[in-house]
Amino acid sequence: MAVTMIYGTAWKKHETTRLVVQAVLIGFRAIDTACQLKHYREDLVGAALVELSTKHDIKREDLFLQTKFTTMRGQDANMPLPYNPADSIPDQIKSSFQKSLSNLHTGYLDSYILHSPLDTVEDTLEAWRVLMDLQDQGKVRKIGVSNTYDVAILERLATARMVQVVQNRWHEGNHWDPAVFKYCKANGIQYQSFWTLSGSPRLLKSPALLALSRDANCTPPQALFRFAQLQGITPLCGTTDESHMKEGVAVAGITFGESVRDDVVSLQHLVMGDGR
């Protein structure tokens, strides 16, 4: 399944089921969540999947489903945990994975990723080998990592198996993560971006981006999403607004004309980190 835009479910709380159903009915076919009650309701994503299947005939296999293993650094210890924190790293991941399958009413995942590197490279490699084993068993199609801004970590994981998905903040604050993005592009790794819009207010107002928006007769957020896609980036869209959902789905059909070629090049230079 070709994935060009992913619906992000962080911070949706009790509205998660309604919003996921709405997003899929509008046209999203990829969903991102995590087994982390602090920011996600993975169980309510699962409830949405059941509703989509029983009421709208949209089956599990019609969707790209991605979730994450979150270490204790990202969990709220006052909330129910998906594993025993006293367990070994492999056992924590296995417990969290089974909880995710149960929450999501599925027997497999299209993508399973570490929510972040662990405390040490050795621990991260130990966790990575568990994901590799899940993939070898056919329970996961792609494996990856999130919140990973050091190429050296990706290179170290690649000594065991090449990372297949990276999900990072892609925004002004980290200069659009050029080193990791270049590594991903060079190695055929799916690079997923979050904070794509909210993290780049100046980019959204830049003359080059506004020129793309006018040329394609689309909104600046649509122009930015489409620009990102054309660079080989898969953006996450977490909007709760129905009209913005529709705009997000429509992004894949946007084309930019020859008249704004210089503006596209200008934006490419900016986000690739050479300062032009």
Side-chain angles (χ1 to χ4, degrees):
M1 178 187 297
V3 176
T4 58
M5 180 84 76
I6 300 173
Y7 187 67
T9 64
W11 309 299
K12 304 300 187 291
K13 299 183 179 179
H14 64 280
E15 289 291 297
T16 299
T17 298
R18 179 184 68 81
L19 290 167
V20 170
V21 169
Q22 184 178 58
V24 172
L25 292 181
I26 284 171
F28 282 89
R29 287 296 179 269
I31 302 164
D32 173 81
T33 186
C35 199
Q36 180 210 37
L37 280 172
K38 183 177 181 181
H39 296 311
Y40 295 83
R41 286 297 304 272
E42 186 183 62
D43 59 324
L44 296 185
V45 173
L49 298 176
V50 171
E51 183 175 335
L52 287 163
S53 177
T54 58
K55 295 184 179 180
H56 304 286
D57 199 32
I58 296 176
K59 304 302 184 187
R60 163 68 185 91
E61 55 268 25
D62 299 326
L63 302 170
F64 176 95
L65 192 57
Q66 174 174 274
T67 191
K68 311 177 191 77
F69 166 75
T70 308
T71 67
M72 281 304 298
R73 280 190 287 115
Q75 300 280 1
D76 184 340
N78 296 314
M79 293 178 148
L81 298 171
Y83 52 78
N84 182 346
D87 284 349
S88 66
I89 290 169
D91 285 342
Q92 288 180 26
I93 296 173
K94 291 172 187 176
S95 295
S96 185
F97 181 76
Q98 289 302 318
K99 181 65 173 176
S100 289
L101 294 184
S102 176
N103 280 342
L104 297 168
H105 307 282
T106 186
Y108 72 96
L109 294 170
D110 296 282
S111 177
Y112 192 51
I113 62 180
L114 301 176
H115 213 153
S116 66
L118 279 70
D119 290 337
T120 67
V121 173
E122 289 72 23
D123 286 349
T124 306
L125 270 169
E126 184 178 19
W128 186 240
R129 292 189 180 98
V130 181
L131 269 60
M132 290 167 51
D133 186 54
L134 292 171
Q135 188 174 46
D136 290 342
Q137 294 176 49
K139 296 178 180 179
V140 177
R141 293 181 173 170
K142 292 185 175 183
I143 56 176
V145 291
S146 183
N147 294 295
T148 304
Y149 303 95
D150 184 352
V151 170
I153 293 175
L154 300 175
E155 291 174 332
R156 186 69 182 275
L157 295 180
T159 62
R161 182 169 299 172
M162 180 63 70
V163 173
Q164 295 133 47
V165 176
V166 168
Q167 183 187 108
N168 274 359
R169 295 176 180 88
W170 187 78
H171 68 131
E172 294 172 6
N174 66 2
H175 305 290
W176 300 281
D177 196 24
V180 170
F181 171 66
K182 289 176 184 176
Y183 177 86
C184 289
K185 193 165 186 176
N187 289 280
I189 300 167
Q190 183 186 45
Y191 183 95
Q192 300 175 0
S193 66
F194 65 100
W195 288 12
T196 311
L197 300 182
S198 59
S200 294
R202 288 182 296 172
L203 188 59
L204 281 166
K205 297 177 181 177
S206 69
L209 196 282
L210 293 176
L212 267 58
S213 173
R214 290 191 297 271
D215 175 76
N217 193 28
C218 66
T219 67
Q222 284 181 302
L224 180 50
F225 272 146
R226 185 56 178 156
F227 169 77
Q229 288 177 340
L230 292 172
Q231 309 318 302
I233 293 169
T234 304
L236 271 71
C237 174
T239 184
T240 60
D241 183 282
E242 182 178 1
S243 64
H244 292 164
M245 288 182 185
K246 291 177 179 177
E247 290 174 356
V249 168
V251 162
I254 291 173
T255 59
F256 300 126
E258 185 62 27
S259 65
V260 291
R261 182 178 180 278
D262 288 346
D263 298 291
V264 171
V265 171
S266 175
L267 290 171
Q268 288 171 332
H269 286 313
L270 176 65
V271 302
M272 290 304 289
D274 64 8
R276 286 171 74 182

